[in-house]
C-alpha cells in the first residue's frame, strides 16, 4: 500500500465487465510504486450500456487513460478521437491514452501475446498459428501476428456477430500483409483437426475455460493436440485451463495468459509513462516465478 498519495497523483482506469478477478491492478500498481510514478490504477465494472458515460467521465475527470477489456474493446473505438493503425485494422482497442483531452486508442493485446511467445523462445517468423475465437483479443493477436511475419493464421469461431466482423479484418490482412489468413466455422471439426495438424501454435482467445465456463474447452478431443504443438491460452485465471491440462497430457509445451497480461501491461505503461516496466520484479512480487 502506497503511503505517499497526494493531490498530484493521476488515475488510470480499467473498464470491463466482469473485472474484479483481474490481476492488472496489482501488476500495474506494483510497477508504479517501484518506479515512483504518481499513478493509481483502479478497476471499474463497466459494461456496454455504461461505456459511453464512462468515457465522458474519463474526459471530465482528466484520467491519464484507461485499459479496456471484454466486452468493450470494439465498441469503445467510436468514442475516441484517434486510433492507431493496429486499432484501425483490428477494430479493437484495449488502451486509451488521454493527452490533454485527446483520447487515442491503442491495442497492446497482440503485442503482449507475441512478446510472450518470444520470451518463451518461440520464433513465429514464417510459422502458422490457429486461433480459437474472433473477438477483441483474437483479432488483436491475428493483426499483430500478421504484422510480425507469421506465415498463416487459421481462425475458428461460431458463426455469430464476431465472425462477421473479423471477416473484414481478414480481408485487410490478406491485402496489406504477406500473411495468409482465413476463418472457418468452429462446428467444422474435421477442418479444425486439419488446420491444427500443420500449425506451430494453437491459441485459445475465448473466455471458454474461465468462470462461468471453467472446466470447459473448445477442444474436446485431446488427440488433436500433437506433442510438438505449442498450446497457449489467453486466460490466466485459472492458471491451468482444461485446454492446457489436456495439452500437457499430450506432451505439448503450454503457456497460460499471465505472460500476455504482463507484456501487454508493460506496453500500456510505456504509452502512459514512457517508462519500461520491470517485468522480472513484477513476476517475483506476484509469485509468477513459482
Amino acid at each position: 500500500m502506497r503511503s505517499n498519495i497526494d493531490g498530484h497523483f493521476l488515475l488510470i482506469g480499467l473498464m470491463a465487465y466482469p473485472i474484479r478477478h483481474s490481476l492488472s491492478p496489482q501488476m500495474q500498481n506494483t510497477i508504479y510504486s517501484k518506479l515512483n510514478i504518481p499513478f493509481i490504477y483502479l478497476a471499474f465494472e463497466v459494461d456496454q450500456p455504461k461505456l459511453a458515460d464512462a468515457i465522458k467521465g474519463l474526459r471530465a475527470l482528466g484520467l491519464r487513460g484507461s485499459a479496456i477489456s471484454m466486452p468493450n474493446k470494439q465498441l469503445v473505438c467510436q468514442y475516441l478521437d484517434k486510433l492507431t493503425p493496429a486499432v484501425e485494422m483490428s477494430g479493437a482497442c484495449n488502451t486509451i491514452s488521454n493527452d490533454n483531452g485527446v483520447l487515442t486508442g491503442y491495442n497492446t493485446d497482440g503485442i503482449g501475446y507475441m512478446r510472450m511467445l518470444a520470451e518463451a523462445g518461440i520464433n513465429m517468423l514464417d510459422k502458422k498459428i490457429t486461433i480459437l475465437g474472433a473477438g477483441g483479443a483474437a483479432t488483436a493477436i491475428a493483426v499483430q501476428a500478421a504484422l510480425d511475419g507469421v506465415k498463416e493464421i487459421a481462425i475458428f469461431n461460431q458463426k455469430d456477430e464476431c465472425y462477421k466482423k473479423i471477416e473484414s479484418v481478414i480481408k485487410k490482412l490478406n491485402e496489406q500483409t504477406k500473411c495468409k489468413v482465413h476463418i472457418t466455422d468452429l462446428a467444422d471439426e474435421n477442418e479444425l483437426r486439419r488446420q491444427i495438424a500443420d500449425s506451430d501454435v494453437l491459441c485459445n482467445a475465448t473466455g471458454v475455460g474461465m468462470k462461468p465456463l471453467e472446466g470447459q474447452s473448445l477442444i474436446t478431443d485431446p488427440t488433436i493436440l500433437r506433442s510438438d504443438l505449442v498450446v497457449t491460452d489467453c486466460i490466466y485465471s485459472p492458471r491451468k485451463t482444461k485446454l492446457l491440462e489436456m495439452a500437457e497430457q499430450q506432451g505439448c509445451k503450454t503457456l497460460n495468459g499471465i505472460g500476455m497480461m504482463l507484456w501487454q501491461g508493460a506496453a500500456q505503461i510505456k504509452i502512459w509513462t514512457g517508462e519500461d516496466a520491470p517485468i522480472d520484479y513484477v513476476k517475483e512480487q506476484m509469485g509468477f516465478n513459482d
Side-chain angles (χ1 to χ4, degrees):
M1 179 67 70
R2 301 179 74 170
S3 58
N4 64 332
I5 298 174
D6 60 24
H8 296 285
F9 273 64
L10 295 178
L11 178 63
I12 294 176
L14 167 56
M15 301 180 188
Y17 188 88
I19 201 55
R20 297 304 179 199
H21 65 281
S22 175
L23 295 177
S24 290
Q26 182 183 359
M27 175 250 186
Q28 296 251 355
N29 287 316
T30 296
I31 291 172
Y32 297 139
S33 180
K34 172 68 173 176
L35 299 180
N36 198 30
I37 295 173
F39 285 0
I40 294 292
Y41 184 105
L42 295 177
F44 299 97
E45 290 205 316
V46 176
D47 56 9
Q48 290 189 342
K50 298 177 182 176
L51 185 59
D53 286 340
I55 299 302
K56 289 178 183 177
L58 183 155
R59 289 183 188 272
L61 296 174
L63 273 69
R64 176 64 185 92
S66 182
I68 303 293
S69 194
M70 296 185 293
N72 302 321
K73 292 181 180 181
Q74 294 168 325
L75 179 62
V76 75
C77 295
Q78 65 185 273
Y79 304 123
L80 306 180
D81 303 310
K82 296 181 180 179
L83 303 175
T84 62
V87 174
E88 288 184 338
M89 187 173 287
S90 68
C93 164
N94 81 325
T95 306
I96 300 171
S97 178
N98 183 2
D99 301 294
N100 299 315
V102 178
L103 304 187
T104 302
Y106 298 80
N107 198 313
T108 67
D109 280 334
I111 294 170
Y113 181 82
M114 297 302 290
R115 182 66 181 269
M116 175 185 73
L117 293 180
E119 291 293 319
I122 302 165
N123 182 358
M124 290 303 294
L125 187 64
D126 292 328
K127 301 293 178 63
K128 178 178 177 178
I129 181 171
T130 291
I131 300 174
L132 306 179
T139 305
I141 291 169
V143 168
Q144 195 64 47
L147 293 174
D148 286 357
V150 168
K151 177 179 65 176
E152 184 177 353
I153 303 172
I155 301 172
F156 285 83
N157 197 74
Q158 60 184 341
K159 288 208 167 182
D160 57 9
E161 286 301 313
C162 288
Y163 190 105
K164 295 176 183 178
K165 288 180 180 178
I166 205 171
E167 286 182 311
S168 63
V169 178
I170 290 171
K171 185 174 185 293
K172 293 177 186 177
L173 292 176
N174 284 325
E175 291 173 348
Q176 300 176 27
T177 74
K178 296 180 180 179
C179 186
K180 176 186 175 183
V181 190
H182 46 93
I183 187 168
T184 306
D185 189 346
L186 185 61
D188 190 340
E189 296 182 6
N190 289 332
E191 184 63 11
L192 178 62
R193 179 182 290 272
R194 191 178 76 82
Q195 293 296 335
I196 291 176
D198 64 353
S199 290
D200 300 281
V201 174
L202 172 66
C203 170
N204 175 42
T206 76
V208 178
M210 65 182 288
K211 290 182 179 179
L213 303 174
E214 192 168 355
Q216 299 183 33
S217 171
L218 291 175
I219 301 295
T220 56
D221 181 357
T223 65
I224 293 178
L225 309 174
R226 64 185 196 280
S227 61
D228 62 335
L229 180 71
V230 177
V231 179
T232 69
D233 204 317
C234 295
I235 294 168
Y236 59 77
S237 179
R239 293 197 188 183
K240 188 180 293 186
T241 60
K242 178 67 173 177
L243 173 62
L244 296 187
E245 287 180 356
M246 288 194 301
E248 284 187 356
Q249 292 169 3
Q250 295 298 113
C252 303
K253 180 180 179 65
T254 62
L255 296 169
N256 63 24
I258 287 175
M260 178 179 172
M261 184 270 293
L262 290 174
W263 287 112
Q264 68 83 23
Q268 290 177 323
I269 288 168
K270 187 74 172 180
I271 291 167
W272 291 323
T273 73
E275 300 288 339
D276 294 319
I279 294 300
D280 289 340
Y281 174 78
V282 173
K283 288 181 179 179
E284 178 182 343
Q285 293 296 306
M286 296 182 68
F288 292 152
N289 291 326
D290 297 341

